[in-house]
């Protein structure tokens, strides 16, 4: 909605032109060739590819192990000698130069206007040319930045050219490529409120009253003119609840900032799952004319860290049940898409997640807005590298000159978003092991504090010994420890903060629907099929199983929660298969790359989601050839105990063993057994496979049978079942996506968990085929072609709405199976 419409809706009459924003989505041209003349206005781009932005040039593949092969030793993972990392950045062709060109108009342009271009993120090293002249550049591919392009712009037919340049070995994961986030043209009067010039805080929050403080920066074109600031606050229902009014003459002000304070009664607090959002509409008048109008969305809520006690949100103690997430959207690559973000957050909320760490970089504005709107907390991160390299061409190349600019933009951009709970200045940086490391940490933390004092600043540290020694841990307002929970006690004794955050935990690995025998706890286990076991017993050399973190979080009162690595699988980092091509995406997710829950999803859900019933049985029960062999059965449930039956025969009862406690004197490292697991999962280790039915009956604490669940050996594959997740209808905006799960099922509708057939799609009607994925880290089927193999019986395909209402019909066919579904597109 543009500003004028919004004003009319609110019943306010604008007296003059305020500001204008246009998002440049359609009509772009793109090429991978690099010649300097591309910046020129008269360049013939007729043969370039037509694209819509957001656009990720590399996600279309093809996958190839030579794409950014990294011959190196990963120090963090304990590698001593260089090896050939094939899929480390996803095996996709993101390296190299890409050019984008488009045209735009600024019809409102007059001599008293200023024009800005804002990139929500451009991967990477963007150089921006307007009408053949270089307007500016940036380096960090994740950050939002804007440039003043007034000197280069005219009212009509402006040519915008953007050069992006991705280097080899610039990342530890798939970064994406190109204009993968939105681009906006923003026109303002010369007297205006700068972009991100409004800061709203709620320093005092009570149930009956909240104080709202609004600081507004301004640029005055006529310093002697009287300026007036009128701000209205609208509650979540759109009712006006406060007005503020300030007058000044800019030449009398020190810092071109106006501060306004008010109170509102009975505030509707923003909280986890309760996304009450207020709006502040600030108008800047010069004399009697409105020169700018800015609407800022914010929430009323409080955050407090109480040493030796915990983290408080709105006066209520909370524990972080968090996930780390990389920025890619699986088969969509890095190209931002709101429906895919909403789906991700929805799946995580179902798992019981209340916070997401945007590891290890700045999130897209859509991500933060959606988190605000869905009541999901965020830990917003900036860097994976400071001045000392982790990868040859990483951010260290720019750190010295750009860190301050990058952090400033990040904090100013997102400091009004209520979802943002804390900031992260880094992740496992090499400076942890340098004597002066704490000085860099202090420098970065201070930059954040300059723009926002209301949120804690943290840092993901994985070298407890070093950061206790060089004071980096003591410097941080909130200490974040990556892994090694057995070090929490020592850190607590030595450090001043008296609170510990598990900033990154678990890194358990598993592949959806894959089970390995015998079932044993293992570190860095590898198999010929390049998969990891979904019994959730495998982890990395530096990491552990979910329960190793839970037991610390529950038994040590000064822990404030954790962010597991990771919520969803992501492209790149196929640990432990560093050199085994075609393995090219992660095994860490509780949910796979397609967005399908692994067993681990239900393990976390049973512990974290207090509102929902979880009663989940694993493994599947199609083990032809294992008849009579020990085939352990695990049940993940929120109920305290349960009885298991195979073909009606009881296999005995198991209860969560609450006598298992964190050992007083902990050993360094991980236990080698599954003892801690007994407190949280129900395990029948000796059950023998026989085809038929596995049934679990769960009991409550009074011994009453309250729920049951069955899985059975599936018969011959009979059909493909297509079902839509979450959403029932799409909006005709050329962006909205439907996510359709495709499953091979038998005659009775049981999943056939060993079918890996190729499925072909045909999509007709009011939308298009967009992409598909199956969660198999070794699968090199291109995501964007309308065919994909099932992985252990399942995959997810996506269709995108067109611009008109109607019906989309989707047909899926393998050699022997077929299925159909339709999705509505509604205005
Ligand atoms: C951490 C790191 C993450 C990821 C993870 C895998 O050390 O912060 O980015 O590499 O390990 O376990």
């Amino acid at each position: 909605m543009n500003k004028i419409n919004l004003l009319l809706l609110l019943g306010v009459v604008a007296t003059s032109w305020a500001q204008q924003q246009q998002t440049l989505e359609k009509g772009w041209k793109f090429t991978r060739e690099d010649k300097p003349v591309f910046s020129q206005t008269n360049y013939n781009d007729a043969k370039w590819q037509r694209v819509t932005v957001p656009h990720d040039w590399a996600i279309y593949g093809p996958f190839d192990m030579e794409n950014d092969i990294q011959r190196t030793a990963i120090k963090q993972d304990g590698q001593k000698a260089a090896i050939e990392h094939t899929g480390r950045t996803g095996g996709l062709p993101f390296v190299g130069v890409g050019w984008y060109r488009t045209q735009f108009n600024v019809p409102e342009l007059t001599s008293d206007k200023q024009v800005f271009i804002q990139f929500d993120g451009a991967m990477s090293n963007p150089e921006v040319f307007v009408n053949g002249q270089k307007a500016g550049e940036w380096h960090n591919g994740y950050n939002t930045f804007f440039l003043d392009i007034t000197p280069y712009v005219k009212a009509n037919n402006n040519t915008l050219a953007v050069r992006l340049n991705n280097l080899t070995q610039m990342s530890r994961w798939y970064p994406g490529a190109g204009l993968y986030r939105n681009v906006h043209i923003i026109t303002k009067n010369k007297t205006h409120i700068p972009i991100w010039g409004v800061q709203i805080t709620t320093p005092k929050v009570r149930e009956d009253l909240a104080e709202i403080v609004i600081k507004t920066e301004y640029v005055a074109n006529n310093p002697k003119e009287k300026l007036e600031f009128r701000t209205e606050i609208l509650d979540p229902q759109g009712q006006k609840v406060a007005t503020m009014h300030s007058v000044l003459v800019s030449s009398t002000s020190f810092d071109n900032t106006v501060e306004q304070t008010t109170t509102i009664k009975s505030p509707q607090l923003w909280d986890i799952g309760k996304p009450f959002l207020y709006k502040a509409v600030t108008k800047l008048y010069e004399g009697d004319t409105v020169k700018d109008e800015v609407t800022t969305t914010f929430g009323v809520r409080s955050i407090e860290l109480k040493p030796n006690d915990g983290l408080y949100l709105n006066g209520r103690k909370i524990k972080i049940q968090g996930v780390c997430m990389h920025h890619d959207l699986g088969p969509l690559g890095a190209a931002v898409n709101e429906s895919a973000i909403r789906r991700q957050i929805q799946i995580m909320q179902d798992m019981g997640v209340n916070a997401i760490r945007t590891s290890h970089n700045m999130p897209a504005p859509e991500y933060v807005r959606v988190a605000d709107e869905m009541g999901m907390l965020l830990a917003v991160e900036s860097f994976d590298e400071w001045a000392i390299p982790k990868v040859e061409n990483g951010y260290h190349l720019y750190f010295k000159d750009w860190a301050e600019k990058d952090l400033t933009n990040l904090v100013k951009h997102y400091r009004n978003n209520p979802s943002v709970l804390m900031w992260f200045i880094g992740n496992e940086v090499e400076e942890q092991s340098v004597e002066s490391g704490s000085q860099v940490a202090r420098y970065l933390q201070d930059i954040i504090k300059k723009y926002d004092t209301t949120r804690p600043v943290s840092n993901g540290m994985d070298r407890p010994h070093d950061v206790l020694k060089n004071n980096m841990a003591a410097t941080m307002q909130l200490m974040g420890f990556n892994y090694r929970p057995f070090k929490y006690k020592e850190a607590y004794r030595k450090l001043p903060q008296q609170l510990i955050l598990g900033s990154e935990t678990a890194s358990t690995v598993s592949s959806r629907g894959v089970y390995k025998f015998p079932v044993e706890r293992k570190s860095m286990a590898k198999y010929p099929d390049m998969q990891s076991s979904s019994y959730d017993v495998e982890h990395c050399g530096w990491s552990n199983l979910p329960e190793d973190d839970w037991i610390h979080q529950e038994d040590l009162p000064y822990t404030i929660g954790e962010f597991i690595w990771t919520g969803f699988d992501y492209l790149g980092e196929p640990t432990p298969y560093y050199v085994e091509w075609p393995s090219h995406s992660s095994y860490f997710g509780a949910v796979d790359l397609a967005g399908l829950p692994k067993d681990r999803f239900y393990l976390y859900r049973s512990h974290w989601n207090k509102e929902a019933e979880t009663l989940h049985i694993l493994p599947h029960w199609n083990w032809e050839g294992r008849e009579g062999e020990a085939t352990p059965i695990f049940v993940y449930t929120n109920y305290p105990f349960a009885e298991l039956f195979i073909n009606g025969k009881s296999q005995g009862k198991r209860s969560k063993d609450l006598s298992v406690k964190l050992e007083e004197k902990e050993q360094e490292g991980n236990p080698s057994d599954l003892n801690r697991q007994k407190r949280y999962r129900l395990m029948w280790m000796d059950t023998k496979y026989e085809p038929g039915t596995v049934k679990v009956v769960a009991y409550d604490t009074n011994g009453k049978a309250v729920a049951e669940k069955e899985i059975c050996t599936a018969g011959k594959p009979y059909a493909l079942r297509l079902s839509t997740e979450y959403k029932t209808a799409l909006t005709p905006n050329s962006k909205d996506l439907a996510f359709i799960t495709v499953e091979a099922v038998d005659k009775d509708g049981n999943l056939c968990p060993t079918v890996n057939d190729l499925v072909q799609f045909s999509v007709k009607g009011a939308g298009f085929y967009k992409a598909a994925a199956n969660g198999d880290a070794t699968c090199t089927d291109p995501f964007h072609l309308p065919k994909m193999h099932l992985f252990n019986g399942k995959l997810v395909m996506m269709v995108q709405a067109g611009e008109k209402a109607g019906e989309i019909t989707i047909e899926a066919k393998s050699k022997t199976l077929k299925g159909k579904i339709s999705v509505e597109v509604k205005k």
Side-chain angles (χ1 to χ4, degrees):
M1 187 179 329
N2 66 32
K3 276 277 132 38
I4 306 298
N5 286 341
L6 180 66
L7 287 175
L8 291 175
L9 261 189
L10 298 175
V12 182
V13 179
T15 51
S16 58
W17 189 90
Q19 61 147 304
Q20 195 65 254
Q21 175 162 337
Q22 47 174 314
T23 299
L24 306 179
E25 292 174 306
K26 290 186 185 154
W28 287 84
K29 295 285 196 69
F30 166 71
T31 184
R32 293 291 312 271
E33 281 174 51
D34 188 19
K35 289 192 199 142
V37 287
F38 288 176
S39 60
Q40 303 301 311
T41 44
N42 58 358
Y43 187 80
N44 182 0
D45 56 17
K47 292 206 176 117
W48 295 23
Q49 190 189 338
R50 286 172 183 280
V51 298
T52 301
V53 166
H55 173 251
D56 177 348
W57 84 57
I59 196 61
Y60 306 98
F63 288 104
D64 191 321
M65 66 183 272
E66 288 299 329
N67 283 325
D68 197 33
I69 196 165
Q70 299 193 4
R71 295 179 177 88
T72 182
I74 304 179
K75 263 212 236 155
Q76 303 96 276
D77 293 11
Q79 294 169 5
K80 302 266 180 307
I83 50 174
E84 286 205 339
H85 293 267
T86 41
R88 192 179 193 195
T89 45
L92 288 164
F94 72 88
V95 172
V97 169
W99 278 93
Y100 291 82
R101 281 162 67 92
T102 194
Q103 303 273 318
F104 66 94
N105 298 333
V106 190
E108 59 278 8
L109 189 67
T110 50
S111 61
D112 63 343
K113 299 284 190 300
Q114 212 162 339
V115 185
F116 303 90
I117 188 164
Q118 177 176 312
F119 291 82
D120 290 347
M123 191 61 71
S124 61
N125 297 303
E127 289 176 73
V128 182
F129 302 87
V130 177
N131 296 325
Q133 285 175 279
K134 184 159 172 179
E137 63 182 25
W138 205 264
H139 291 285
N140 191 309
Y142 298 99
N143 213 354
T144 303
F145 67 96
F146 60 86
L147 304 168
D148 182 353
I149 54 170
T150 317
Y152 320 107
V153 94
K154 43 192 188 164
N156 292 312
N157 301 324
N158 292 289
T159 300
L160 169 64
V162 188
R163 180 181 191 265
L164 287 316
N165 185 12
N166 289 329
L167 309 176
T168 57
Q169 309 212 33
M170 65 179 229
S171 183
R172 300 193 296 114
W173 56 84
Y174 175 67
L179 295 181
Y180 72 113
R181 291 182 181 167
N182 278 303
V183 182
H184 316 274
I185 302 291
I186 301 163
T187 312
K188 286 179 174 273
N189 287 304
K190 283 203 167 143
T191 292
H192 65 266
I193 298 167
I195 293 171
W196 308 328
V198 176
Q199 180 182 19
I200 306 185
T201 54
T202 54
K204 292 179 197 149
V205 176
R206 283 201 323 232
E207 228 169 72
D208 58 329
L209 202 64
E211 186 181 64
I212 318 283
V213 178
I214 306 191
K215 286 187 190 161
T216 308
E217 292 171 41
Y218 59 84
V219 175
N221 197 31
N222 307 302
K224 296 220 170 93
E225 276 281 345
K226 189 183 73 175
L227 295 179
E228 266 185 71
F229 296 82
R230 291 178 185 271
T231 302
E232 289 185 351
I233 295 186
L234 308 173
D235 74 9
Q237 291 71 37
Q239 299 298 314
K240 188 159 66 178
V241 287
T243 49
M244 291 176 254
H245 182 210
S246 315
V247 183
L248 58 82
V249 174
S250 109
S251 53
T252 62
S253 154
F254 282 110
D255 57 0
N256 281 19
T257 301
V258 171
E259 187 167 321
Q260 299 175 306
T261 302
T262 189
T263 52
I264 51 174
K265 290 202 187 112
S266 308
Q268 300 167 61
L269 304 189
W270 188 96
D271 210 318
I272 298 163
K274 294 188 188 131
F276 290 113
L277 294 171
Y278 283 77
K279 278 190 168 35
V281 182
T282 307
K283 283 189 199 166
L284 163 59
Y285 291 77
E286 192 180 64
D288 294 332
T289 337
V290 181
K291 287 292 182 181
D292 204 352
E293 185 193 310
V294 173
T295 299
T296 310
T297 303
F298 70 101
V300 181
R301 55 122 184 81
S302 66
I303 300 167
E304 202 183 344
L305 289 176
K306 295 191 187 169
N308 225 349
D309 182 354
L311 167 66
Y312 284 76
L313 176 68
N314 295 331
R316 191 180 81 254
K317 189 165 168 170
I318 61 161
K319 277 240 171 172
I320 294 175
Q321 301 172 349
V323 292
C324 296
M325 293 280 246
H326 267 310
H327 70 306
D328 74 62
L329 296 168
L332 302 173
V336 78
N337 178 283
E338 187 170 332
S339 341
I341 294 170
R342 279 189 188 274
R343 170 186 182 241
Q344 260 196 359
I345 296 185
Q346 207 160 355
I347 293 172
M348 290 295 98
Q349 281 178 329
D350 183 27
M351 189 164 103
V353 170
N354 60 19
I356 294 173
R357 173 178 171 220
T358 69
S359 45
H360 302 297
N361 36 255
M362 301 84 177
E366 289 82 354
Y367 207 93
V368 182
R369 176 169 53 76
V370 171
D372 279 354
E373 291 172 4
M374 293 181 74
M376 174 64 82
L377 293 166
L378 296 179
V380 170
E381 190 149 307
S382 46
F383 308 124
D384 188 51
E385 222 179 74
W386 295 347
I388 308 176
K390 280 188 189 172
V391 283
E392 202 173 300
N393 291 314
Y395 188 69
H396 68 272
L397 297 176
Y398 320 108
F399 180 81
K400 188 169 152 286
D401 298 328
W402 288 82
E404 180 165 3
K405 289 181 230 173
D406 273 319
L407 273 185
T408 301
N409 277 23
L410 175 68
V411 177
K412 289 188 87 173
H413 194 180
Y414 296 133
R415 65 188 167 175
N416 297 319
N417 293 88
S419 57
V420 180
L421 170 70
M422 60 177 73
W423 307 105
F424 267 73
I425 56 168
N427 176 64
E428 299 185 357
V429 293
E430 285 298 314
E431 280 80 350
Q432 288 178 102
S433 306
V434 169
E435 200 175 23
S436 59
S438 63
Q439 295 168 4
V440 190
R442 166 80 199 265
Y443 159 72
L444 298 172
Q445 182 165 259
D446 282 356
I447 296 170
I448 292 187
K449 291 292 171 196
K450 196 165 142 194
Y451 301 104
D452 178 27
T453 53
T454 70
R455 295 174 176 88
V457 181
S458 193
N459 183 12
M461 296 173 286
D462 68 330
R463 300 182 195 167
H465 175 265
D466 295 2
V467 295
L468 287 171
K469 197 163 141 219
N470 77 355
N471 288 326
M472 188 186 276
T475 304
M476 297 313 307
Q477 188 186 1
L478 173 62
M479 273 177 323
F481 277 120
N482 286 11
Y483 309 99
R484 301 164 188 84
F486 49 85
K487 284 285 191 186
Y488 288 0
K489 288 182 193 158
E490 181 190 344
Y492 170 71
R493 284 197 308 274
K494 291 187 177 161
L495 287 165
Q497 300 92 334
Q498 293 183 285
L499 289 177
I500 289 185
L501 168 67
S503 42
E504 200 176 303
T505 60
S507 270
T508 302
V509 285
S510 61
S511 309
R512 178 183 53 74
V514 175
Y515 304 89
K516 302 290 183 190
F517 303 97
V519 177
E520 284 166 355
R521 184 172 179 137
K522 286 185 184 154
S523 174
M524 302 304 264
K526 292 206 228 181
Y527 305 91
D529 64 356
M530 298 178 216
Q531 305 293 352
S532 300
S533 179
S534 260
Y535 274 106
D536 299 325
V537 288
E538 297 177 0
H539 52 76
C540 302
W542 55 92
S543 68
N544 50 257
L545 300 181
E547 294 89 345
D548 298 312
D549 297 305
W550 296 350
I551 203 162
H552 286 84
Q553 291 295 335
E554 289 193 322
D555 292 2
L556 302 178
Y558 46 83
T559 53
I560 62 163
E562 60 169 324
F563 290 97
I564 66 162
W565 191 265
T566 47
F568 271 53
D569 273 329
Y570 52 95
L571 292 163
E573 232 189 18
T575 321
Y577 298 104
Y578 297 109
V579 295
E580 287 86 355
W581 184 257
S583 184
H584 61 269
S585 59
S586 80
Y587 300 80
F588 295 117
V591 170
D592 74 15
L593 197 73
L596 293 167
K598 300 181 188 172
D599 294 298
R600 204 148 27 97
F601 168 92
Y602 298 98
L603 182 58
Y604 281 104
R605 191 176 191 268
S606 71
H607 187 57
W608 280 351
N609 187 340
K610 304 278 183 279
E611 265 108 61
E613 175 185 285
T614 302
L615 188 56
H616 176 77
I617 305 173
L618 64 139
H620 63 72
W621 210 240
N622 271 66
W623 294 107
E624 222 185 303
R626 285 192 67 79
E627 287 79 4
E629 284 184 60
T631 306
I633 296 175
F634 291 2
V635 170
Y636 298 159
T637 181
N638 56 319
Y639 293 114
F641 68 103
E643 184 169 6
L644 187 79
F645 301 86
I646 299 179
N647 292 330
K649 282 179 290 220
S650 175
Q651 307 294 311
K653 289 185 178 166
R654 296 283 183 278
S655 52
K656 292 187 183 170
D657 186 352
L658 303 182
S659 71
V660 176
K661 298 267 183 256
L662 184 62
E663 313 83 65
E664 286 263 312
K665 274 223 159 91
E666 264 184 276
Q667 302 290 321
E668 291 257 314
N670 281 314
S672 54
D673 56 23
L674 294 174
N675 193 44
R676 285 175 179 171
Q677 279 58 40
K678 291 187 186 147
R679 175 161 151 182
Y680 302 98
R681 7 178 148 171
L682 305 180
M683 299 183 285
W684 286 260
M685 297 305 284
D686 305 318
T687 38
K688 304 237 166 20
Y689 176 64
E690 62 182 52
T693 305
V694 177
K695 180 166 116 177
V696 64
V697 179
Y699 296 86
D700 67 11
T701 36
N702 304 318
K704 197 170 139 214
V706 279
E708 56 177 69
K709 183 85 178 249
E710 263 184 23
I711 56 165
C712 61
T713 308
K716 242 176 75 211
Y718 175 76
L720 294 173
R721 177 170 61 207
L722 276 60
S723 49
T724 44
E725 283 175 36
Y726 302 108
K727 246 193 201 176
T728 47
L730 300 182
T731 311
N733 58 6
S734 286
K735 292 178 195 167
D736 211 1
L737 296 176
F739 297 85
I740 292 154
T741 305
V742 180
E743 295 165 295
V745 291
D746 70 6
K747 230 165 45 296
D748 302 319
N750 296 305
L751 174 75
C752 300
T754 57
V755 176
N756 293 315
D757 294 356
L758 181 68
V759 179
Q760 312 251 10
F761 300 104
S762 122
V763 177
K764 294 204 183 97
F768 311 91
Y769 174 85
K770 179 71 182 177
N774 59 19
D776 175 2
T778 70
C779 175
T780 52
D781 294 348
F783 300 121
H784 66 290
L785 298 180
K787 53 184 177 187
M788 173 71 44
H789 285 86
L790 291 166
F791 180 52
N792 298 324
K794 294 190 187 189
L795 63 81
V796 173
M797 64 89 72
M798 296 160 206
V799 290
Q800 181 173 312
E803 282 182 352
K804 291 197 182 121
E807 201 177 52
I808 311 177
T809 49
I810 300 124
E811 280 180 21
K813 264 189 205 150
S814 74
K815 265 196 184 146
T816 53
L817 309 172
K818 54 185 184 194
K820 205 173 168 178
I821 197 171
S822 55
V823 175
E824 217 190 325
V825 183
K826 272 212 291 227
K827 278 245 156 65

